[in-house]
Amino acid sequence: GGGGGGARAPRLVDIALQTGGIFESEGWKHISQAFEHNTLHMIGLLSDGGVHSRYDQVVLTVKGAVERGAKRVRLHVLTDGRDVPDGSSIQFIQQLDEELAALNAKHGVDCKIASGGGRMFVTMDRYEADWDIVKRGWQAHVLGKAPNQFTDAVTAVKTLRGPEEKKVSDQNLAPFVIVDAEGKPVGPVQDNDAVVLWNFRADRMVSISKALEYKDFNIFDRERVPENLKFAGMMQYDGDLGLPKNFLVPPPEIKKVSGEYLVKNGLSTFACSETQKFGHVTFFWNGNRSRYFD
């Protein structure tokens, strides 16, 4: 809506996967340091909505990692119910479980779902509106701590959605952690592990990226910060901040947007929105820029 042409984020990820370019990137080289002896963690929205992420891209990325030496992969899934029909999270998780089981059988690796929660309640804060959302995600994904523990993700989602007459939406599900037979979390993030955020859209990944990347982060108590973490985004989510430093696919370069044109010609603009949408009339409108043109 802000002007400018060229391929957008979903298409750029598709191209990178089709050509194999994603697996040659500096970001991939960064995370692959953890493949042999540590764990690759992947965090993001699990659906085929195509607004923030896409299911097929997630699976292809996991397969690519396993084929290139990843021995242990943990997925931390955020349920949708907003860009796709509510209740479809169970279908996506069942499908993912089947895909991971096939990879395990074929390659002799250890891939499984480790934690999750609803996108509007866990991890995917937008524009720093509610850091408690990010904190709940950090506790579940990184620390392996959540008020709800289950031995598999399908049971987790079915249970947390509640009875038919009083269903909780996928997007609002409470955080959960998957545990083994002894009650131990199957996938907390440890020292020397790698973490990839698989969403290609920026707005709901910036806050969690700050918690994962900034050493001096102090907005909430992280309790434990993994040492020597190999962190990357599917894309760089904020070019002005250079966040994250490492990414798998270069983001779209959007030039000559209407906001820039107006500024260069000395015209003032007035942007107005509800709090949760202010980035749509600033950051997105200005071609994924968070700072002034001048």
Side-chain angles (χ1 to χ4, degrees):
R8 293 297 182 257
R11 179 59 183 150
L12 291 174
V13 176
D14 284 339
I15 293 170
L17 286 166
Q18 290 163 7
T19 63
I22 190 173
F23 308 120
E24 302 298 325
S25 68
E26 291 302 313
W28 189 268
K29 293 174 185 176
H30 180 62
I31 65 167
S32 65
Q33 297 174 75
F35 286 3
E36 180 67 25
H37 301 293
N38 300 95
T39 302
L40 169 63
H41 300 264
M42 296 183 60
I43 304 171
L45 186 66
L46 190 70
S47 82
D48 62 3
V51 177
H52 291 267
S53 66
R54 249 191 20 239
Y55 177 87
D56 61 321
Q57 294 178 348
V58 179
V59 173
L60 288 172
T61 305
V62 174
K63 287 181 177 178
V66 167
E67 290 167 357
R68 288 162 180 80
K71 302 289 192 299
R72 193 170 188 267
V73 183
R74 294 293 182 264
L75 288 94
H76 307 265
V77 301
L78 302 167
T79 50
D80 195 342
R82 188 177 175 97
D83 299 324
V84 293
D86 192 27
S88 61
S89 60
I90 296 172
Q91 167 198 331
F92 289 116
I93 289 174
Q94 287 174 330
Q95 187 174 347
L96 181 60
D97 273 341
E98 292 171 5
E99 303 256 22
L100 297 180
L103 278 176
N104 291 341
K106 181 178 180 180
H107 296 279
V109 293
D110 178 13
C111 303
K112 61 185 63 169
I113 296 172
S115 72
R119 56 176 285 179
M120 297 301 289
F121 195 65
V122 180
T123 305
M124 285 177 58
D125 170 56
R126 180 161 61 187
Y127 311 135
E128 303 185 5
D130 187 348
W131 280 103
D132 283 341
I133 293 174
V134 186
K135 183 178 181 179
R136 285 189 284 268
W138 180 274
Q139 290 175 333
H141 313 324
V142 178
L143 304 181
K145 295 169 58 176
N148 305 287
Q149 298 184 344
F150 300 90
T151 55
D152 69 272
V154 171
T155 301
V157 171
K158 286 182 176 179
T159 303
L160 294 173
R161 275 181 58 80
E164 191 64 39
E165 65 275 11
K166 198 177 180 181
K167 285 292 183 189
V168 176
S169 172
D170 285 344
Q171 63 184 315
N172 295 321
L173 293 185
F176 63 86
V177 167
I178 304 303
V179 297
D180 60 20
E182 298 175 351
K184 295 176 59 177
V186 300
V189 181
Q190 306 290 2
D191 294 350
N192 303 306
D193 283 354
V195 172
V196 170
L197 301 179
W198 73 61
N199 287 19
F200 47 69
R201 178 163 151 173
D203 56 343
R204 292 190 183 274
M205 291 286 100
V206 171
S207 295
I208 186 64
S209 292
K210 289 180 177 180
L212 286 163
E213 182 144 304
Y214 290 168
K215 289 185 178 180
D216 59 353
F217 181 89
N218 60 5
I219 297 174
F220 61 81
D221 182 6
R222 291 178 290 181
E223 300 181 43
R224 177 179 62 82
V225 180
E227 297 287 339
N228 196 30
L229 186 67
K230 313 298 191 299
F231 167 53
M234 179 63 79
M235 291 190 152
Q236 187 169 69
Y237 300 124
D238 192 318
D240 289 333
L241 297 177
L243 183 74
K245 178 182 178 182
N246 294 286
F247 48 91
L248 305 186
V249 180
E253 191 173 5
I254 308 171
K255 296 181 176 179
K256 298 181 179 179
V257 293
S258 57
E260 182 178 13
Y261 179 80
L262 294 171
V263 167
K264 298 298 184 184
N265 284 277
L267 297 174
S268 299
T269 59
F270 174 75
C272 182
S273 79
E274 60 174 304
T275 303
Q276 279 286 321
K277 297 287 186 180
F278 89 88
H280 289 57
V281 295
T282 53
F283 178 76
F284 285 134
W285 188 257
N286 293 332
N288 290 355
R289 294 176 178 86
S290 59
R291 295 175 179 167
Y292 294 114
F293 286 111
D294 286 332

